Amino acid sequence: QVQLVELGGGLVQAGGSLRLSCEASGRACGICAMGWFRQALGKERESVAAISWSGSSIYYADSAKGRFTISRDNAKKTVYLQMDSLKPEDTAVYYCAADPRWADITYSGGISYWGKGTLVTVSS
């Protein structure tokens, strides 16, 4: 089993920045792709960004393009999400995800491993 632990959530004013991190532990996920999802109150969980094991493939949702940056450090088994120019509509619980298949990493129904989530609140 792979455990994913997210850190870095909190309260920030609109226009501010936060950096989320997610560290994997437990049984190795091999060459897992990793990603970030978010779920706002009353809404479905949606993909925000994803990165392949090598870092050569990266995906951003339209809402994240130009403001969020995903990266990973395989030696530390950690993936990061740098979030800049935050907006109140970015308020959500952010979940780290890992999956052996790149094709599944942006589909919430296909994810093999989930973190427990970290709350990001952006005030106006």
Side-chain angles (χ1 to χ4, degrees), residues 6-53:
E6 303 99 334
L7 293 173
L11 174 64
V12 65
Q13 288 189 332
S17 297
L18 280 176
R19 188 192 196 204
L20 306 182
S21 64
C22 170
E23 182 175 358
S25 62
R27 183 176 67 85
C29 192
I31 53 172
C32 274
M34 297 188 75
W36 291 93
F37 285 72
R38 68 185 182 186
Q39 188 166 17
L41 193 62
K43 295 188 177 182
E44 293 187 354
R45 192 171 298 190
E46 62 178 2
S47 177
V48 175
I51 186 168
S52 63
W53 180 82

Side-chain angles (χ1 to χ4, degrees), residues 27-101:
R27 183 176 67 85
C29 192
I31 53 172
C32 274
M34 297 188 75
W36 291 93
F37 285 72
R38 68 185 182 186
Q39 188 166 17
L41 193 62
K43 295 188 177 182
E44 293 187 354
R45 192 171 298 190
E46 62 178 2
S47 177
V48 175
I51 186 168
S52 63
W53 180 82
S54 67
S56 61
S57 296
I58 290 178
Y59 162 84
Y60 292 107
D62 287 343
S63 59
K65 288 178 181 176
R67 300 188 302 125
F68 294 1
T69 303
I70 190 170
S71 60
R72 66 187 296 165
D73 183 335
N74 288 336
K76 296 181 179 179
K77 299 182 181 179
T78 300
V79 64
Y80 305 94
L81 185 68
Q82 177 67 40
M83 303 187 294
D84 299 318
S85 303
L86 283 162
K87 305 174 182 180
E89 51 263 43
D90 294 317
T91 295
V93 177
Y94 283 71
Y95 296 91
C96 179
D99 198 272
R101 287 170 47 86

